[in-house]
Amino acid sequence: MLKLVRTKPAAKSRTPAARRAARAKKKSAEWLDSPEGSLWPDMSMAEWWDSPEGSLWLDMSCELEDVVLKDVGLDARRRKFLWPDAGPLDLDQSARRIHQQYPDFPEDKTKDFLIYWIQQCYEPKGYSESQMDELERLTEQWAEDVIPGEK
């Protein structure tokens, strides 16, 4: 028998994907603008993107997000990246692995990118809204533990 579930009007009007997209957009804006973790501490965003650091970040973003991390999963509870060909690796092991493949990407910057990726880019398929909420809570705590003040 079909069970009717009441939802709040706001929840009814937006799909789970739309709610996740809005949450990701808000988190991304907060992350990019945060002074303690800012990518461009003493310059405007446009100046930063034109700097060597901004150029490196863009190169890393294109290569890592689109190629390297494409099939990587995440076990946020155990704080492991699930590599299809290497199994579960922690943050340091994952940064080292990427640095070995891409020596132009410094390990510390790769670690920063991986933290950014778990917070902003990783979206598993088939997760319910409550699972996404739990994932967000776990990845925020992970990022906070790695880089205090990054929340």
Side-chain angles (χ1 to χ4, degrees):
M1 187 166 162
L2 183 63
K3 182 178 177 182
L4 295 177
V5 178
R6 281 203 113 144
T7 60
K8 297 177 192 172
K12 198 186 277 185
S13 66
R14 288 172 122 188
T15 65
R19 285 193 299 275
R20 282 193 299 274
R23 186 171 47 223
K25 184 177 179 183
K26 180 182 176 219
K27 280 174 47 179
S28 183
E30 289 170 358
W31 188 85
L32 292 172
D33 291 337
S34 68
E36 62 277 338
S38 178
L39 296 174
W40 45 86
D42 297 324
M43 56 181 82
S44 73
M45 189 182 312
E47 290 172 325
W48 186 82
W49 282 115
D50 288 337
S51 73
E53 294 85 5
S55 180
L56 173 65
W57 188 267
L58 184 59
D59 291 346
M60 289 175 66
S61 181
C62 291
E63 190 65 26
L64 298 182
E65 195 175 331
D66 296 341
V67 178
V68 177
L69 298 170
K70 181 178 67 161
D71 297 321
V72 173
L74 196 64
D75 181 344
R77 192 170 307 285
R78 291 179 39 223
R79 297 183 176 188
K80 300 283 184 178
F81 293 84
L82 305 175
W83 295 88
D85 59 343
L89 300 176
D90 66 23
L91 179 64
D92 291 329
Q93 292 168 325
S94 295
R96 208 168 311 127
R97 175 182 174 32
I98 292 169
H99 179 68
Q100 287 172 348
Q101 293 175 353
Y102 297 89
D104 291 343
F105 297 167
E107 268 188 65
D108 62 327
K109 298 299 181 192
T110 302
K111 260 173 91 168
D112 290 346
F113 184 85
L114 289 171
I115 291 297
Y116 167 78
W117 183 77
I118 67 172
Q119 291 185 291
Q120 305 302 323
C121 305
Y122 178 70
E123 188 171 326
K125 295 186 182 3
Y127 269 35
S128 68
E129 189 66 22
S130 63
Q131 287 172 313
M132 287 302 294
D133 290 342
E134 178 69 359
L135 176 66
E136 183 177 344
R137 184 187 70 73
L138 290 168
T139 56
E140 283 179 7
Q141 187 59 56
W142 187 0
E144 176 66 26
D145 290 347
V146 172
I147 308 169
E150 261 310 289
K151 226 172 185 184

